[in-house]
Amino acid sequence: LSAAKLPDKQGSLPIHVAAGQGRLDIIDLLLDKYPHSLWSRNASGQTILHVAVQAERYNVVKHICSQSQHGRMFRAILNARDQDGNTALHLAVLTGHQWIFCLLLSWVQVDLNIANRNGHTPLDLVFLSGKVNDDIMSFAGYFVPILDISRGQRTFRYLQVHIRLPFFVKLIPYVSNYF
């Protein structure tokens, strides 16, 4: 396991490679032996959560999010920023993976107001994509992003109402129009 601290040619540690490949078994093994590797960064300043989102590894993202209930370290990684200032939620918008976006959005610990180096919050990126479907704003019942402008400040806030699964299934086509 001493190789766990050696980066590859791209600057990624084995835990980053495991996250990109969806290997929960390796991630858990490395975290058991080296708990602080959770905070390790690759050459782009990305954590394992960033890498998992960018590689569209839903299983890893879900695992990390579920671990956030158990410790402060896991909660803090949900809002970690890479060299471009992007959080995992920014990357979920940029990759267009709707399930990862919805998963991250469902965690209260995810800060929706973090701006990247270009000054964009995740919602800004959604609106800049030009793929916003106004119909989703009328749905009460899931995590509905709302742009709130007060005193010239843009704020990404969301409405959360508990719903049953069949309603969520009807909502997915509207969420997919964000990407």
Side-chain angles (χ1 to χ4, degrees), residues 1 15 25-37:
L1 287 176
I15 196 163
D25 55 336
I26 303 295
I27 293 169
D28 286 340
L29 178 71
L30 291 169
L31 288 175
D32 284 344
K33 184 74 175 168
Y34 305 103
H36 284 54
S37 64

Side-chain angles (χ1 to χ4, degrees), residues 151-164:
R151 293 188 220 137
Q153 281 298 103
R154 289 175 297 185
T155 304
F156 184 10
R157 63 185 180 89
Y158 63 98
L159 175 67
Q160 179 183 10
V161 179
H162 298 287
I163 58 166
R164 293 190 194 107

Side-chain angles (χ1 to χ4, degrees), residues 128-143:
L128 288 171
S129 74
K131 298 179 183 177
V132 177
N133 184 333
D134 291 333
D135 291 342
I136 195 169
M137 298 303 181
S138 65
F139 279 100
Y142 195 61
F143 297 93

Side-chain angles (χ1 to χ4, degrees), residues 11-165:
S12 294
L13 296 173
I15 196 163
H16 297 111
V17 175
Q21 294 176 354
R23 296 291 308 269
L24 291 176
D25 55 336
I26 303 295
I27 293 169
D28 286 340
L29 178 71
L30 291 169
L31 288 175
D32 284 344
K33 184 74 175 168
Y34 305 103
H36 284 54
S37 64
L38 176 70
W39 282 104
S40 63
R41 306 288 182 127
N42 64 14
S44 300
Q46 296 179 326
T47 65
I48 60 172
L49 183 58
H50 288 97
V51 172
V53 169
Q54 204 160 33
E56 299 183 6
R57 299 296 181 172
Y58 181 85
N59 65 327
V60 176
V61 175
K62 184 176 180 181
H63 183 67
I64 292 169
C65 288
S66 67
Q67 296 300 314
S68 71
Q69 298 176 50
H70 305 296
R72 190 178 330 167
M73 278 181 35
F74 278 99
R75 280 193 300 274
I77 198 174
L78 296 175
N79 296 307
R81 298 166 72 178
D82 65 13
Q83 286 180 346
D84 296 323
N86 290 319
T87 64
L89 189 59
H90 285 91
L91 295 179
V93 172
L94 293 170
T95 61
H97 195 286
Q98 68 185 23
W99 291 103
I100 290 177
F101 174 79
C102 289
L103 175 65
L104 290 170
L105 196 59
S106 72
W107 289 92
V108 176
Q109 298 95 337
V110 172
D111 187 342
L112 307 174
N113 297 310
I114 295 175
N116 63 16
R117 283 199 161 181
N118 294 325
H120 297 125
T121 66
L123 184 63
D124 293 335
L125 296 177
V126 169
F127 280 95
L128 288 171
S129 74
K131 298 179 183 177
V132 177
N133 184 333
D134 291 333
D135 291 342
I136 195 169
M137 298 303 181
S138 65
F139 279 100
Y142 195 61
F143 297 93
V144 181
I146 298 171
L147 183 60
D148 182 28
I149 301 175
S150 62
R151 293 188 220 137
Q153 281 298 103
R154 289 175 297 185
T155 304
F156 184 10
R157 63 185 180 89
Y158 63 98
L159 175 67
Q160 179 183 10
V161 179
H162 298 287
I163 58 166
R164 293 190 194 107
L165 186 59

